[in-house]
Amino acid sequence: MTAAAPPSPALAGRAPADARARYRAGLAVPSSGEAPGYTQANLVVLPREWAFDMLLFGQRNPQPVPLLDVTDPGSPRTVLAPDADLRTDLPRYRVWRDGELAGEPTDVRDLWTDDLVAFLIGCSFSFETALLEAGVPVRNIEQGRNVSMYRTNRACRPAGRLSGPLVVSMRPVPAGLVATAVQVTARMPQVHGAPVHVGAPSALGIVDLDRPDFGDPVQAAEGDVPVFWACGVTPQAALMDSRPPFAITHAPGHMFVTDVPDAVYRQL
Amino acid sequence: MTAAAPPSPALAGRAPADARARYRAGLAVPSSGEAPGYTQANLVVLPREWAFDMLLFGQRNPQPVPLLDVTDPGSPRTVLAPDADLRTDLPRYRVWRDGELAGEPTDVRDLWTDDLVAFLIGCSFSFETALLEAGVPVRNIEQGRNVSMYRTNRACRPAGRLSGPLVVSMRPVPAGLVATAVQVTARMPQVHGAPVHVGAPSALGIVDLDRPDFGDPVQAAEGDVPVFWACGVTPQAALMDSRPPFAITHAPGHMFVTDVPDAVYRQL
């Protein structure tokens, strides 16, 4: 159906498939800037027995956890890229056991079972393109760094055994363009939507913007205001807090490149 | 978070609670027109063992099945109306056994178990108010009838054991106001969003507009075009086709009146 509809294969250019082929062959680099104009997604994979809780966690926390697709148990296929194999086509994975990081392989075929359900979750890379098109500078791109991300003092709404803090990404935005940034991203609710907070990092429990919990520090320019968006690392933080026996995610910045043009997730 | 956030109790006037109190006391009438300006919701209740399939069915079919809230197993409480009891506060229920209608009680306390999960699903009553405010006539309201609903030849994307056809509601719209109707409803994706189809009912497999599968026939005025929206009866059609051992739903037109103002579900 409209916003969440899978793309027509005819819409997909070669760029996403080419990127996935390189990752499948072993290239293990961050996916930022790959296949520009195509949506990239966060990955969370859990045993079927935990999948209801994760699906409900997404339903209850749609800003940090916008679910773009959920696979059938055991299937490594997604409507977001019908030719892709979720076990091989990301540049790097993280494997979690009891909430602890247990490895960062580039292929998870040997770990895959008929019991696993994969969740593809919207990523703010999609709205960065929209911000640039609207004339809003994106400092982390200018500085060639990963975006800054922070655990906040706000709890997500729990779902069964899953709970954890809201994680936000922060981008410094010139004060005169904050309203534009809100409007542009509000039109893209499936890739985190409007900011959750503008200015006043201490109100989110963030002590020092220069010391992010994930990603890199990003320098603000004179007159920039820190703007905070819900972040797709939120479900990883919930896995770390809630400790399911087994999980696979993408490695930070090493996303799944889909065949879906970013424009599909832009609303009126 | 923004669009799906529960309302502040301070926002809720007395009208929704008063309506629910009358239904709880036994009044069994359609809820159309009750507590104007407040969101009404479709109800589907299933055993925990089927809840993952239903949650996934909603994720995969967000236009017909926009999930506004999903309860914890056994709980009759929802964030959409914190004081309400889902077992008593709807005007009338339907009970389903193996996909067959087994009763239409006004109270389901004796059927409730710790195993049940309730799904609250957006309803097009919310966007009818928005259409009227935009100057688009709503013929079913003018004629004092239930909206016309039809099973279509389009399949929903299945989820586990749940599958079924897309069900649509139809409203005749003056040709010069079709674009307005699209724009107004597109801003409300959590209450079915933009139309799925405009004109040409035969392309949806609808043979005779005067013989709806659910609801009442509604007369079109000269120059009206039939406009079709995804409909919240879709999950009931899936229950009829997929035959879970037990389910409870609202009776058609006898919705759950929430404390959430319709405006919460309007986007930019």
Side-chain angles (χ1 to χ4, degrees):
Chain A
M1 316 257 137
T2 47
S8 157
L11 281 177
R14 289 297 312 161
D18 289 348
R20 293 193 302 265
R22 287 194 294 278
Y23 302 147
R24 191 159 57 242
L27 181 68
V29 297
S31 55
S32 176
E34 272 290 359
Y38 291 94
T39 297
Q40 298 194 18
N42 300 278
L43 175 72
V44 172
V45 180
L46 281 167
R48 169 75 175 81
E49 203 265 315
W50 278 73
F52 179 74
D53 289 355
M54 187 68 216
L55 191 48
L56 191 56
F57 193 72
Q59 196 278 330
R60 291 182 173 176
N61 300 283
Q63 267 195 299
V65 194
L67 295 172
L68 303 184
D69 191 33
V70 181
T71 63
D72 291 316
S75 171
R77 306 289 168 189
T78 169
V79 293
L80 303 178
D83 294 337
D85 187 326
L86 292 171
R87 302 168 299 183
T88 56
D89 288 8
L90 279 76
R92 192 178 286 285
Y93 300 82
R94 282 188 159 180
V95 178
W96 304 82
R97 296 190 188 277
D98 299 316
E100 306 283 344
L101 184 60
E104 289 205 321
T106 62
D107 179 320
V108 293
R109 276 177 296 183
D110 57 326
L111 298 169
W112 202 267
T113 65
D114 285 350
D115 186 44
L116 295 178
V117 177
F119 298 81
L120 283 311
I121 299 165
C123 165
S124 59
F125 287 4
S126 297
F127 72 58
E128 289 185 343
T129 307
L131 287 170
L132 290 170
E133 287 175 9
V136 179
V138 179
R139 304 298 185 203
N140 49 298
I141 292 179
E142 290 176 355
Q143 296 167 28
R145 297 183 189 173
N146 197 352
V147 71
S148 305
M149 293 165 272
Y150 308 85
R151 295 170 71 105
T152 71
N153 59 9
R154 298 205 189 167
C156 288
R157 193 176 156 205
R161 293 156 291 182
L162 278 177
S163 61
L166 172 68
V167 177
V168 294
S169 63
M170 185 281 291
R171 290 169 187 77
V173 174
L177 290 170
V178 169
T180 303
V182 171
Q183 291 175 79
V184 166
T185 56
R187 289 182 203 123
M188 305 183 76
Q190 285 161 308
V191 291
H192 302 305
V196 292
H197 196 90
V198 178
S202 62
L204 289 174
I206 299 169
V207 176
D208 185 352
L209 285 178
D210 292 333
R211 299 180 60 184
D213 295 304
F214 309 93
D216 301 323
V218 172
Q219 297 307 309
E222 180 74 22
D224 281 356
V225 173
V227 179
F228 300 90
W229 280 268
C231 176
V233 171
T234 301
Q236 287 197 31
L239 295 181
M240 292 159 77
D241 284 16
S242 308
R243 303 180 166 270
F246 180 74
I248 300 169
T249 66
H250 68 286
H254 297 64
M255 319 298 287
F256 178 62
V257 178
T258 79
D259 288 347
V260 185
D262 287 332
V264 168
Y265 294 120
R266 282 189 216 173
Q267 299 187 330
L268 281 181
Chain B
M1 317 260 132
T2 48
S8 156
L11 281 176
R14 288 297 311 161
D18 289 349
R20 293 193 301 267
R22 287 194 295 277
Y23 303 147
R24 190 160 58 241
L27 181 68
V29 297
S31 55
S32 176
E34 272 290 0
Y38 291 93
T39 297
Q40 297 193 19
N42 300 277
L43 175 72
V44 171
V45 180
L46 282 167
R48 170 73 175 81
E49 204 267 313
W50 278 74
F52 179 74
D53 289 356
M54 187 69 217
L55 191 49
L56 191 56
F57 193 73
Q59 196 279 329
R60 291 182 172 177
N61 300 282
Q63 267 195 302
V65 194
L67 295 173
L68 303 184
D69 191 34
V70 181
T71 63
D72 291 316
S75 172
R77 305 289 168 190
T78 170
V79 292
L80 303 178
D83 293 337
D85 187 325
L86 292 171
R87 303 168 298 182
T88 55
D89 287 9
L90 279 74
R92 190 178 287 284
Y93 300 82
R94 280 188 161 180
V95 178
W96 304 83
R97 295 189 188 277
D98 299 315
E100 306 283 344
L101 185 60
E104 289 205 320
T106 61
D107 179 318
V108 292
R109 275 177 295 183
D110 57 328
L111 299 168
W112 202 267
T113 65
D114 285 348
D115 188 44
L116 294 178
V117 177
F119 298 80
L120 283 310
I121 299 166
C123 165
S124 59
F125 286 3
S126 298
F127 73 59
E128 289 185 342
T129 307
L131 288 171
L132 289 170
E133 287 175 8
V136 179
V138 179
R139 303 301 185 200
N140 49 298
I141 292 178
E142 290 175 356
Q143 296 166 30
R145 295 182 191 173
N146 196 351
V147 71
S148 305
M149 293 164 272
Y150 309 85
R151 292 171 73 104
T152 71
N153 59 9
R154 300 206 188 166
C156 288
R157 192 175 158 206
R161 294 155 291 182
L162 277 177
S163 61
L166 172 68
V167 176
V168 293
S169 63
M170 186 280 293
R171 290 167 189 78
V173 174
L177 290 170
V178 169
T180 302
V182 170
Q183 292 175 78
V184 166
T185 56
R187 287 182 206 123
M188 305 181 76
Q190 286 160 307
V191 292
H192 302 306
V196 292
H197 197 90
V198 178
S202 63
L204 289 174
I206 299 169
V207 176
D208 185 350
L209 284 178
D210 293 333
R211 298 179 60 185
D213 295 305
F214 308 92
D216 301 322
V218 172
Q219 297 307 307
E222 180 74 21
D224 280 357
V225 173
V227 179
F228 301 90
W229 280 268
C231 176
V233 171
T234 301
Q236 287 197 32
L239 295 181
M240 293 158 77
D241 285 16
S242 308
R243 301 179 168 271
F246 179 74
I248 300 168
T249 67
H250 67 287
H254 296 65
M255 319 299 287
F256 178 62
V257 179
T258 78
D259 288 348
V260 186
D262 287 332
V264 169
Y265 295 120
R266 283 188 215 173
Q267 299 186 331
L268 281 181

